[in-house]
Amino acid sequence: MATLEINNLHARVAEEGGERILRGVDLTVNSGEIHALMGPNGSGKSTTAKVIAGHPAYEVTEGEILLHLDDEDVADVDVDLDDEDYHWELLELEPNERAALGIFLGFQYPAEIEGVTMTNFLRQALNAKADEREELFEDEDEDEESAEADADDEGYDTSPMEGPADDGEIGVAEFQEILSEKMELLDMDEKFMQRYLNAGFSGGEKKQNEVLQAAMLEPAVAVLDEIDSGLDIDRLQDVSKGINALRDEQGTGILQITHYQRILDYVEPDHVHVMLDGEVAKSGGAELAEQLEDEGYDWVREEAFADA
Amino acid sequence: MSSQDHLKDTNTEERFEFKKEEKSAFKSEKGLTEETVRVISEDKDEPEWMLERRLRALKQFQEMPMPTDWPGQPDLSEVDIDEIVPYIRPDIEARGGADSWEDLPEEIQDTFDKLGIPEAEKNALSGVGAQYESEIVYQNMQERWEEKGVIFCDMDKAVQEHEEIVKEHFMTKCVPPSDNKFAALHGAIWSGGSFVYVPENTTVDMPVQAYFRMNSEGMGQFEHTLIIAEEGSEVHYIEGCSAPKYSAFNLHSGGVEVFVGEDAHVQYSTVQNWSKNTYNLNTKRAIAEKGGRMEWISGSMGSKATMLYPSTILKGRGASDNHITIAMAGEGQDIDTGAKVYHNAPDTKSTVESKSIAKDGGRTNYRGLVHIADGAENSSTAVECDALMFDNESTSDTMPYMEINESKVDVAHEATVGKIGDEDIFYLQSRGLDDDDAKQMIVSGFIEPITEELPIEYAVELNRLVELEMEGSLG
């Protein structure tokens, strides 16, 4: 089981005099759990999501983000976890390294990349993730001596005319098989795969695509930033089915950022958190979301101030 | 293994960045005088008329000023002809090129092996010419084409063996030396290159390729390519070029003349990967007769500065032209390239698609001209140029000139200039791609609309080069 643990996270916009946005966020998401992160506009929900993924526009001034992993999470790589608490400090890692370890960010406004087909993109992403994992865990394992030995051993395994040896990329057939399975699950048309990544996609298609990517990359924890915005009811149901499947089929932990109770009717959260002014002001069960829907956020604010 | 696989598996960097010790049979003095021209012509045992043409071109070169007044043109102040070695004849026995790779000296054989030329020849080409320094060292074509009357030979050999046709077409009506200063220079000291002749109604179904390699420091390469495609014929010519990098500058000033006969179809593809100390100043032009079709495909990755504007004169009714241009400029590079099309007859059609990428302070410029003559009714042209910049240090300009002297025409023009988006990069990174791979993916997507139209063997090579440039491991 993997655990994303955020402790006392402070962050500001990474420019001179940049606004302080996060003021001590504490949050823990275990794989297999569904968390809803709610709160009014400007409370820091999206910033939390971006900081977890490593967005360069934000600078972390205090706190830590840890990803705890166990044997199951690293079964694909050759690493021995004798450490009782095996974890990575995400703040020290590049966004792609975080992705390789199992962090996924579903964007509120996914980028449109012209000229790159979905198929090419997904294959490359899967291969990049596999390569990066090997590298991360290799470095972890390797002592200095063997690093030196490697340095002496530079050059080609094969003749330069033949290029570098095949590094075990995912085969086309295997890829297609995984893809078809995931697309069926999400009720997506195969034609999707020949289109350019998000280019000209409707709002709903983009969100479906975010969930598809999460399904393909099988992250330990997926942070979904307003995945429900701009969806009609049919699409909302498809997307919700996909999110539930992420949890049920591959044990992904979900941190779902939303303004509305609506999606929570389909994706029932185990935990609900309310952010106010850059902190998690209140946490509770599914019933908390219903209460917020009825009563708004003012009472949470009052309660939080009373506590303080 | 198919040729595409072969190209894909070849380590591109290894293939271009190696130097061979200079071994030559004859090397001219540095600089350019009448004496130099006479010596070159004599060494080649040329007919008198060719010497005369060379000397006339030399005079024109000396009279013409260096181009300095084009808006935003690359800086050519370093280009001092007196510092250039214009002619180096490599040490080979057979003039006109050996027809077997084994007959070449080892270092030359090894050079082209590394560039993957013999392998490509076996798999996907009708014929191959390979030039080393100033001379073609290898030339071969499949017999079945020879039997049909197709000629593919060394340009110097063509002067001797196909004298009449060369005399008629060589720098007379297509690219006269008076065209520009570097065309004049070329006319004076040209050496090597290819002569291609395709008889009527003959379709050469696999491409012919010429590869030009400069090995020596401070040399100039001035090969001449003359292609004559008779009525109803079809041919695809590919040229590749590269050189290892030296501290002194090199000069490449090629000349290309293409005659597209009635209803003939010529495709001319270039992958230019000169080292980043090379000035690449070429003149390329085609004349298309009635119903003829000319296609220029150009990938410009290398060189310190390039000024190249392949042009097509649509002379006959219904002739058409298609330009595809990809330019990429990194640190210290100024790639000034584009297209010129002259619509001189009714019902002529042209399309220009240009994609340029500037990074690490490099500069790209699209400079183009579409001229539609009075009376060229029902002609149409569509020009589309897109530029992508990586950072604020890089620049990209677009100068599409149009001269439209006829009212019954259809003219379309589109241009975009964009900067690679940080959010786009972050999106791809969040999916596991590292910074370089993310940028590379965005670039390959940017040029995708063009690469999907390219012949496969060309597209594979081009993609490899783009990848290599993106890795920033060259130069």
Side-chain angles (χ1 to χ4, degrees):
Chain A
M1 185 183 80
T3 301
L4 177 70
E5 181 187 353
I6 302 172
N7 293 321
N8 192 30
L9 187 67
H10 291 251
R12 61 184 195 101
V13 175
E15 57 187 44
E16 225 181 295
E19 191 193 347
R20 288 176 59 199
I21 301 179
L22 303 186
R23 300 157 184 264
V25 177
D26 293 302
L27 204 55
T28 299
V29 179
N30 293 315
S31 53
E33 294 176 354
I34 295 182
H35 293 243
L37 185 60
M38 306 184 78
N41 287 331
S43 58
K45 304 184 299 294
S46 284
T47 302
T48 303
K50 287 177 181 168
V51 170
I52 293 169
H55 197 293
Y58 302 97
E59 181 192 318
V60 173
T61 52
E62 211 182 319
E64 59 180 8
I65 305 176
L66 307 178
L67 183 65
H68 304 267
L69 300 174
D70 70 11
D71 285 319
E72 252 174 64
D73 301 313
V74 295
D76 60 323
V77 281
D78 184 21
V79 63
D80 194 17
L81 306 188
D82 36 20
D83 198 338
E84 287 245 322
D85 175 25
Y86 181 83
H87 66 265
W88 289 82
E89 307 226 8
L90 295 189
L91 293 175
E92 290 169 8
L93 299 173
E94 294 294 318
N96 57 303
E97 294 172 322
R98 301 184 196 196
L101 287 175
I103 297 295
F104 181 89
L105 174 60
F107 284 63
Q108 186 179 359
Y109 304 108
E112 299 191 16
I113 312 289
E114 290 283 354
V116 178
T117 61
M118 285 290 299
T119 307
N120 276 346
F121 162 69
L122 281 175
R123 269 198 75 194
Q124 236 189 291
L126 278 177
N127 286 328
K129 182 176 175 176
D131 287 350
E132 191 61 55
R133 279 180 78 82
E134 290 219 347
E135 224 165 277
L136 282 166
F137 289 100
E138 206 170 81
D139 288 350
E140 183 71 356
D141 234 13
E142 203 168 79
D143 54 30
E144 280 182 25
E145 225 170 283
S146 68
E148 270 169 34
D150 273 2
D152 290 339
D153 199 26
E154 262 181 63
Y156 292 90
D157 294 343
T158 56
S159 140
M161 290 300 293
E162 284 163 20
D166 181 21
D167 48 12
E169 295 198 340
I170 181 169
V172 177
E174 190 191 348
F175 172 77
Q176 282 301 342
E177 198 179 315
I178 304 174
L179 185 62
S180 299
E181 185 191 314
K182 308 283 183 186
M183 288 184 70
E184 207 179 297
L185 187 78
L186 283 161
D187 199 18
M188 287 169 81
D189 194 322
E190 295 265 350
K191 276 185 246 157
F192 231 74
M193 299 317 294
Q194 290 320 310
R195 293 172 69 184
Y196 294 151
L197 177 52
N198 290 327
F201 281 28
S202 71
E205 286 172 333
K206 283 182 185 167
K207 296 305 173 71
Q208 240 173 336
N209 190 16
E210 294 296 282
V211 179
L212 173 70
Q213 292 175 41
M216 289 300 287
L217 291 164
E218 305 196 349
V221 176
V223 182
L224 305 175
D225 192 3
E226 298 201 23
I227 199 86
D228 54 339
S229 66
L231 295 185
D232 62 34
I233 189 70
D234 289 341
R235 198 79 79 171
L236 181 71
Q237 284 176 350
D238 287 340
V239 164
S240 301
K241 203 167 95 188
I243 297 172
N244 286 322
L246 290 181
R247 194 249 312 250
D248 299 339
E249 311 274 325
Q250 56 197 48
T252 298
I254 310 284
L255 178 61
Q256 170 150 284
I257 294 169
T258 181
H259 276 290
Y260 305 103
Q261 167 65 29
R262 197 175 62 147
I263 191 169
L264 303 180
D265 292 340
Y266 301 101
V267 183
E268 201 183 324
D270 303 304
H271 303 275
V272 174
H273 312 276
V274 183
M275 273 193 91
L276 288 177
D277 307 326
E279 291 178 64
V280 176
K282 188 169 180 65
S283 296
E287 73 291 343
L288 178 56
E290 281 161 34
Q291 198 180 348
L292 292 170
E293 179 84 354
D294 294 341
E295 301 172 28
Y297 294 110
D298 285 348
W299 66 273
V300 185
R301 190 180 300 276
E302 280 160 26
E303 206 180 275
F305 275 115
D307 282 353
Chain B
M1 184 155 76
S2 75
S3 68
Q4 295 95 282
D5 288 341
H6 167 73
L7 289 172
K8 224 181 305 182
D9 290 348
T10 307
N11 181 304
T12 314
E13 185 181 4
E14 285 282 320
R15 286 171 50 195
F16 298 119
E17 273 302 301
F18 54 91
K19 297 167 184 172
K20 292 287 175 185
E21 195 186 328
E22 192 186 316
K23 275 190 197 166
S24 57
F26 180 86
K27 184 174 173 178
S28 69
E29 296 294 314
K30 267 191 192 175
L32 185 56
T33 61
E34 191 178 314
E35 186 54 26
T36 325
V37 172
R38 285 182 185 280
V39 165
I40 293 173
S41 184
E42 195 181 327
D43 190 55
K44 291 175 179 296
D45 199 17
E46 284 178 345
E48 190 61 26
W49 62 266
M50 182 54 86
L51 174 64
E52 276 164 25
R53 281 190 196 177
R54 286 181 182 275
L55 292 173
R56 204 175 335 137
L58 175 67
K59 199 152 172 278
Q60 285 168 320
F61 170 74
Q62 286 162 341
E63 282 163 4
M64 271 189 253
M66 198 73 162
T68 53
D69 57 347
W70 294 24
Q73 75 164 65
D75 179 9
L76 301 179
S77 57
E78 193 193 14
V79 181
D80 179 356
I81 303 304
D82 292 331
E83 286 302 312
I84 281 281
V85 179
Y87 181 59
I88 300 176
R89 172 153 58 83
D91 191 6
I92 48 163
E93 275 173 29
R95 284 295 179 95
D99 58 6
S100 156
W101 294 101
E102 282 75 40
D103 292 346
L104 295 176
E106 206 174 310
E107 77 272 10
I108 295 180
Q109 216 185 104
D110 186 49
T111 297
F112 289 104
D113 263 344
K114 281 195 173 141
L115 295 166
I117 309 297
E119 189 65 33
E121 178 183 17
K122 264 185 255 166
N123 295 312
L125 300 169
S126 292
V128 166
Q131 177 157 346
Y132 195 77
E133 318 294 28
S134 299
E135 296 286 352
I136 289 284
V137 293
Y138 174 84
Q139 187 83 41
N140 196 20
M141 186 175 57
Q142 290 175 6
E143 256 170 46
R144 60 185 176 122
W145 299 119
E146 263 167 45
E147 283 161 11
K148 289 186 176 163
V150 177
I151 303 169
F152 175 45
C153 75
D154 172 11
M155 194 64 223
D156 287 295
K157 191 172 164 189
V159 172
Q160 309 286 351
E161 293 186 4
H162 308 283
E163 189 171 348
E164 282 318 304
I165 194 164
V166 173
K167 194 172 174 183
E168 184 191 338
H169 293 89
F170 186 92
M171 298 194 82
T172 49
K173 37 201 163 182
C174 192
V175 181
S178 57
D179 189 78
N180 66 73
K181 190 171 176 74
F182 290 93
L185 175 66
H186 175 87
I189 52 176
W190 76 271
S191 178
S194 310
F195 174 67
V196 179
Y197 178 84
V198 188
E200 271 182 34
N201 301 318
T202 305
T203 298
V204 182
D205 58 7
M206 290 202 293
V208 292
Q209 180 170 17
Y211 201 95
F212 301 99
R213 176 77 176 176
M214 266 194 277
N215 180 61
S216 300
E217 177 162 19
M219 83 163 291
Q221 198 175 57
F222 307 95
E223 86 288 349
H224 194 89
T225 302
L226 176 58
I227 298 174
I228 298 169
E230 298 284 15
E231 188 176 337
S233 69
E234 198 171 327
V235 67
H236 180 193
Y237 181 87
I238 303 177
E239 69 177 359
C241 2
S242 69
K245 183 170 168 142
Y246 290 104
S247 51
F249 79 98
N250 283 30
L251 174 63
H252 176 251
S253 195
V256 174
E257 301 181 281
V258 183
F259 293 87
V260 186
E262 274 189 34
D263 299 317
H265 176 198
V266 177
Q267 192 172 41
Y268 194 106
S269 306
T270 307
V271 186
Q272 183 268 101
N273 188 35
W274 293 116
S275 55
K276 280 154 196 143
N277 60 321
T278 301
Y279 286 84
N280 184 43
L281 311 166
N282 292 317
T283 310
K284 297 183 172 179
R285 188 169 301 152
I287 298 175
E289 304 292 338
K290 187 178 150 201
R293 182 148 72 99
M294 181 65 205
E295 288 183 87
W296 295 101
I297 299 173
S298 316
S300 296
M301 312 287 143
S303 82
K304 177 168 189 175
T306 284
M307 292 177 79
L308 169 62
Y309 322 95
S311 59
T312 300
I313 297 165
L314 300 171
K315 189 178 158 201
R317 181 184 280 269
S320 65
D321 168 76
N322 180 212
H323 270 84
I324 293 179
T325 302
I326 298 170
M328 192 159 173
E331 190 182 352
Q333 286 185 279
D334 193 340
I335 308 290
D336 196 307
T337 186
K340 286 200 276 186
V341 187
Y342 296 86
H343 291 256
N344 291 350
D347 303 321
T348 49
K349 195 173 175 237
S350 67
T351 59
V352 177
E353 295 169 82
S354 161
K355 297 265 182 186
S356 67
I357 299 143
K359 66 190 200 51
D360 304 329
R363 173 179 181 268
T364 59
N365 184 25
Y366 172 81
R367 196 188 296 269
L369 170 69
V370 176
H371 175 94
I372 300 184
D374 186 11
E377 289 179 2
N378 301 318
S379 290
S380 70
T381 181
V383 178
E384 189 181 340
C385 24
D386 301 314
L388 182 68
M389 282 176 290
F390 264 56
D391 44 55
N392 295 326
E393 288 71 50
S394 303
T395 44
S396 206
D397 296 313
T398 305
M399 304 178 181
Y401 300 100
M402 297 255 181
E403 296 170 356
I404 313 294
N405 300 324
E406 166 62 48
S407 55
K408 285 172 72 180
V409 292
D410 185 6
V411 175
H413 174 242
E414 261 181 74
T416 64
V417 177
K419 195 176 159 252
I420 201 163
D422 292 341
E423 289 298 324
D424 293 350
I425 293 171
F426 178 66
Y427 184 76
L428 297 178
Q429 279 183 300
S430 76
R431 300 304 185 249
L433 276 69
D434 66 22
D435 187 56
D436 280 353
D437 286 348
K439 286 177 179 162
Q440 198 174 301
M441 183 177 270
I442 292 167
V443 167
S444 70
F446 172 72
I447 60 174
E448 155 75 19
I450 281 186
T451 48
E452 72 176 4
E453 296 175 36
L454 298 178
I456 179 75
E457 67 276 11
Y458 183 88
V460 170
E461 182 71 12
L462 187 80
N463 276 330
R464 288 284 299 146
L465 276 179
V466 169
E467 263 175 46
L468 188 66
E469 289 299 319
M470 297 290 304
E471 285 161 14
S473 51
L474 256 193

